[in-house]
Each structure stands twice: as C-alpha cells, then as structure tokens.
Amino acid sequence: MIGKGSSLQNFNIEMFQEDLLGWYDANKRDLPWRKDQDPYKVWVSEIMLQQTKVDTVIPYFHNFLEKFPTVHALATADEQEVLKAWEGLGYYSRARNLQHAVREVVENYGGQVPNNPKELEGLKGIGSYTKGAILSIAFNQPEPAVDGNVMRVFSRLLNIDEDIAQPKTKKLFESVTREVISHEDPSSFNQAIMDLGATICTPKSPACLLCPVQEHCQGYELGVEQQLPIKSKTKKNKKIPYAVLIIRNEQDEIAIEQRPDNGLLANLWQFPMVPIQEMSLELIENWFYAQYGMKIKLGEKQADLNHVFSHLTWELNIYHAKLEHDTREEEKVTFVAEGELNFYPFPVSHLKIREFL
Ligand code: SF4
C-alpha cells in the first residue's frame, strides 16, 4: 500500500507509460474536442464533462461551439443565450462561471487562454482538475488532472487505500501523477488514464482481463481491485416538497418566473413553485395569493416527480391552475404563450414538467 511520501518502488514507470500510451494510440475514443488541441475547446469540453456523461455532452458541445465558436463570441453573448445553450445539461453555474472566466480572458489576456497554472487557477470555475486538463491536453505540459475517475484508476494500480472522499487525498494522487506522467506526451497520458477509467477500469466490475496495464496493477495482483477505491459515505440527501403550478390566464398563456440571480439554478426560468409541507389546495391558493398577489383556482394534482441534485431532492407535485384575479403590483411572473416557452432557458426538472402541458 502506498501512503503519503512513500515511493513507487516496484512500479516500472517507463514500461507502464509505454503500455498505456500504446493502448491509447490504438484505442482512443473519437471525441469531437480531440480533433485539435484548441485550449478554448478543451476548456468548454472539460467544464461540460464535470458530473456529466460523454454521450450526453457531445451534442451540447457541437451546439455550443456552433453558437460560440471563440472566446470572443462567448464573452460578448447574452447570458440568457448561454443558459439556453446549456439547457438540460444541469449544474448551470458551470455555464455562468465559464462565461465570466472567458470575459476575464478577453479583458486581461487579450483573448488568449493562459498557458500557466497561476493565471488559469485565477479564473472563475477553474479548479485543479480543469487547470491540469487544459495545461496537459491543450499545452502539453506534464500537469496532473485528477478527478474521481483518475483516483479510482490509481487507487487500484498502486493499491492506495486513502479515502478519496477526503479533499486532502487529491493532493496525494496529484503527486503520484506527477511521478508517473509522461513528459514526452503528457496530453495523451492524461487522456489515456481518463479513457482507461471510462472504458476498462470502470467503477463496478473493472475489465482486468482486457486491461493494457494489468501487469503493472498491484490491486489486481493482490485481488483487491474490487474493494478500491476507498470512499466514505457522503451526507444524506435532503428532500424538499414543492407544489409546481401551471397557471393559465384567460388568453391561455402560461405563468413562468425567473429564479434569483444567485444560488441554485440562478437566472433560469421555471413554473411558479410553492414550498409545501402537507398543504391543502386551499392553503396553496392562499399562500400564492399572499406571495404573488394573484388569485388562482387549483385543479387536482396531475403528477409528481422527483429531481435529485447532489445535495438535495425536489419532490415536485404538479398542478394545473386558472388565474382568477390579478392584483399584482410587481411583475413576479410573466405570462407567455405555450409556443414561446422555448425561448426561455429552463432547468431539467421544469423541462420535464413541460411535458404535462
Ligand atoms: Fe483497473 Fe483491473 Fe486494469 Fe487494475 S488491472 S487498472 S483494476 S482494469
């Protein structure tokens, strides 16, 4: 087992690199952001790939690059347009941070994505993983790009039993990567580890018999690969119930509202949501009148659905409602024709609710 400060004594780094890079050369995944080493494309792809599967990202990546092909195009775009292009991908702060950072690149670095760690890590939304991915993949610098997948692969390869849920463990894996990374081709090395984790050394049932680096793998040799990595349990996911109201006015337009400009799903649009705890229809109507100044008549519940975020779950109870009387002083909600809903960026949960229209 390797702990902090110990060496890679019995690990043949040169042979490992040769086996890994030989396999990668013959088997690498054909991904659109690998067509060239444009740092802007690498950056966009790495932000999209956070918490999101490759197959989901590919069409978004094409669409995003078509709309915002350069740093300048993204920097000058309207935020609502950017959110619209991100609609359905989730974790929308990624899109806002990306645009914020790209604007900094235009203002401070003449539109050139920085090629050094200090400047890159000063940009919003760029953490140690994304920084390492951009520096290695786009600029061919021997920098570690360590995420959960990379920690899993190296946990098994080197029989490391540190808890990967602990932030400090990442540092250990970064120093391990610095020792084993190819200095001739760091770009391929990091991408090869990512591909190995995605296709062979998968979370459940790693395909060790097909693994190109099996003869270097200490976890496999000891028969403990299935027990690695060690990951302590994360906190319980909190459930919050809401009534979601699909309110129509006399013109058959539908009420939508924009979320606040900070916090969860900031600036996205949604159908009005009432936080309910055992609320009757009447209580929901009264709550809505008190908060929005609009009298509504609720119908029976149409459906419910759960939407899981990393730290909480929305339990959404969906109701149709009719606007009966409008005494609004401020425009908390906007009424739009059903066909116009498409012009507004919605989060995934409310895109699903649109199916009930
Ligand atoms: Fe992963 Fe198995 Fe390969 Fe080891 S031998 S790196 S556990 S797939």
Side-chain angles (χ1 to χ4, degrees):
M1 197 274 292
I2 288 186
K4 253 180 281 175
S6 60
S7 69
L8 292 146
Q9 260 172 8
N10 300 319
F11 194 75
N12 188 331
I13 294 174
E14 226 167 276
M15 284 306 296
F16 170 71
Q17 290 176 353
E18 205 176 305
D19 290 342
L20 179 72
L21 292 174
W23 169 80
Y24 178 70
D25 197 38
N27 297 284
K28 63 179 147 209
R29 292 176 293 172
D30 181 20
L31 301 172
W33 44 89
R34 286 182 175 170
K35 303 278 181 236
D36 54 49
Q37 287 180 291
D38 180 338
Y40 170 63
K41 291 183 195 163
V42 173
W43 184 5
V44 171
S45 71
E46 288 300 339
I47 298 291
M48 285 187 167
L49 286 164
Q50 289 167 9
Q51 324 278 344
T52 313
K53 290 200 175 90
V54 165
D55 291 348
T56 308
V57 165
I58 289 173
Y60 279 94
F61 179 80
H62 283 305
N63 179 46
F64 199 86
L65 264 290
E66 205 172 289
K67 286 203 163 74
F68 316 112
T70 61
V71 161
H72 285 97
L74 181 57
T76 52
D78 186 87
E79 190 198 71
Q80 288 285 296
E81 251 184 88
V82 177
L83 290 173
K84 188 71 197 161
W86 209 271
E87 184 183 69
L89 204 52
Y91 301 98
Y92 297 89
S93 56
R94 294 183 295 175
R96 279 188 296 273
N97 289 343
L98 175 62
Q99 190 184 30
H100 189 283
V102 155
R103 284 176 175 162
E104 282 179 73
V105 166
V106 169
E107 275 166 34
N108 302 334
Y109 306 115
Q112 300 294 318
V113 179
N115 64 357
N116 64 80
K118 236 189 158 34
E119 289 174 349
L120 269 181
E121 68 196 6
L123 297 171
K124 205 162 184 185
I126 295 198
S128 62
Y129 171 79
T130 312
K131 175 184 68 178
I134 295 171
L135 290 173
S136 60
I137 298 173
F139 296 114
N140 221 25
Q141 295 177 20
E143 287 289 324
V146 171
D147 66 357
N149 291 313
V150 172
M151 287 197 277
R152 179 179 67 254
V153 173
F154 278 121
S155 282
R156 291 169 176 171
L157 269 169
L158 299 168
N159 188 26
I160 297 175
D161 66 358
E162 300 279 330
D163 180 3
I164 65 164
Q166 299 287 332
K168 63 177 173 71
T169 307
K170 200 170 183 185
K171 292 257 175 275
L172 167 67
F173 283 95
E174 284 174 351
S175 64
V176 164
T177 308
R178 280 188 198 283
E179 287 193 57
V180 298
I181 195 168
S182 160
H183 282 242
E184 271 159 37
D185 192 355
S187 174
S188 295
F189 182 92
N190 276 348
Q191 292 182 87
I193 293 287
M194 292 171 194
D195 277 18
L196 189 71
T199 60
I200 305 266
C201 195
T202 50
K204 288 180 194 148
S205 322
C208 300
L209 296 179
L210 303 173
C211 179
V213 291
Q214 186 210 86
E215 68 174 272
H216 306 278
C217 183
Q218 296 170 17
Y220 178 72
E221 197 186 334
L222 295 165
V224 297
E225 76 279 1
Q226 301 265 13
Q227 288 144 41
L228 295 169
I230 303 294
K231 189 177 181 188
S232 59
K233 292 235 174 333
T234 44
K235 270 193 267 156
K236 240 182 142 194
N237 189 293
K238 193 173 157 207
K239 292 189 168 61
I240 308 179
Y242 286 99
V244 184
L245 311 180
I246 301 175
I247 306 166
R248 291 179 190 264
N249 64 11
E250 273 193 345
Q251 292 76 43
D252 210 28
E253 294 165 326
I254 296 166
I256 55 172
E257 64 181 355
Q258 193 171 24
R259 292 181 64 83
D261 62 6
N262 54 43
L264 184 67
L265 307 173
N267 284 342
L268 291 173
W269 290 78
Q270 64 181 19
F271 303 103
M273 293 185 20
V274 178
I276 49 166
Q277 292 284 356
E278 311 275 326
M279 269 199 199
S280 66
L281 294 189
E282 197 185 342
L283 276 172
I284 296 173
E285 288 168 356
N286 290 344
W287 185 95
F288 196 75
Y289 182 60
Q291 297 294 321
Y292 286 75
M294 294 158 72
K295 270 205 184 316
I296 54 169
K297 182 82 195 141
L298 282 186
E300 288 302 309
K301 190 164 98 174
Q302 296 293 308
D304 47 47
L305 66 89
N306 285 353
H307 188 78
V308 183
F309 297 95
S310 53
H311 56 304
L312 56 89
T313 297
W314 279 355
E315 293 178 335
L316 303 173
N317 302 276
I318 302 152
Y319 295 86
H320 280 301
K322 270 234 134 329
L323 176 65
E324 297 208 313
H325 188 52
D326 195 347
T327 63
R328 280 179 293 164
E329 280 169 11
E330 48 168 335
E331 293 280 311
K332 267 194 169 177
V333 302
T334 306
F335 278 92
V336 297
E338 198 172 320
E340 284 174 13
L341 289 172
N342 253 340
F343 299 130
Y344 298 83
F346 281 80
V348 174
S349 49
H350 284 251
L351 282 175
K352 287 184 196 152
I353 292 166
R354 278 171 58 177
E355 289 165 18
F356 293 101
L357 293 181

